[in-house]
Amino acid sequence: NQHKAWRRRAVQLASVGAGETCLDVCTGTGDFAVDLAAAVGRWGRVVASDFCEPMVRNGQSKMTQAPGGPISMMVANAERLPYPTGVFDVCTVGCGIRNVAHIDRAVSEMTRVIRPGGRVDHVAPGKHDDGVVARSRADERVGCSGRDVEIIR
């Protein structure tokens, strides 16, 4: 279906590669995390986090059946991520970012947990042909405005 095709394209555009370590914030039931795991392969790793415990619980069964790298699901607040600084190659967030009260704090946290040169990618269906609303390197700050996201240098 269209949603699956969009997720596969978003993983491509996020340039997720074999062996990388990814964090998917606001993961919901983990659909995008499953696609990330397929991209990182068995030598990579994906952490999927969401502040809504029932969503995380409902996604657990998908994680054990996912191809590719291992996926850990956990309850975590995007505004206060419980991960050390600089441990992920890529941090992704999709439509769930709209449920975050303080988007600037969440983006700051996502930037904090990626390695120097890492990527924070907000990937969501939008008005752009490629489906990616914004992409950012660790040294850029991303700001949100409604359904659009712009890179602020």
Side-chain angles (χ1 to χ4, degrees), residues 81-101:
L81 294 172
Y83 313 111
T85 298
V87 295
F88 297 100
D89 297 301
V90 180
C91 182
T92 60
V93 64
C95 298
I97 193 72
R98 68 179 177 251
N99 299 319
V100 174

Side-chain angles (χ1 to χ4, degrees), residues 22-27 47-51 74-88 90-93 97 100 102-114 120:
C22 300
L23 171 63
D24 187 38
V25 176
C26 305
T27 197
V47 176
S49 68
D50 199 285
F51 77 103
M74 62 186 306
V75 177
N77 184 334
E79 296 177 23
R80 290 185 308 277
L81 294 172
Y83 313 111
T85 298
V87 295
F88 297 100
V90 180
C91 182
T92 60
V93 64
I97 193 72
V100 174
H102 303 98
I103 292 172
D104 57 333
R105 289 183 199 165
V107 171
S108 177
E109 279 292 280
M110 289 184 271
T111 302
R112 179 186 65 77
V113 299
I114 60 171
V120 174

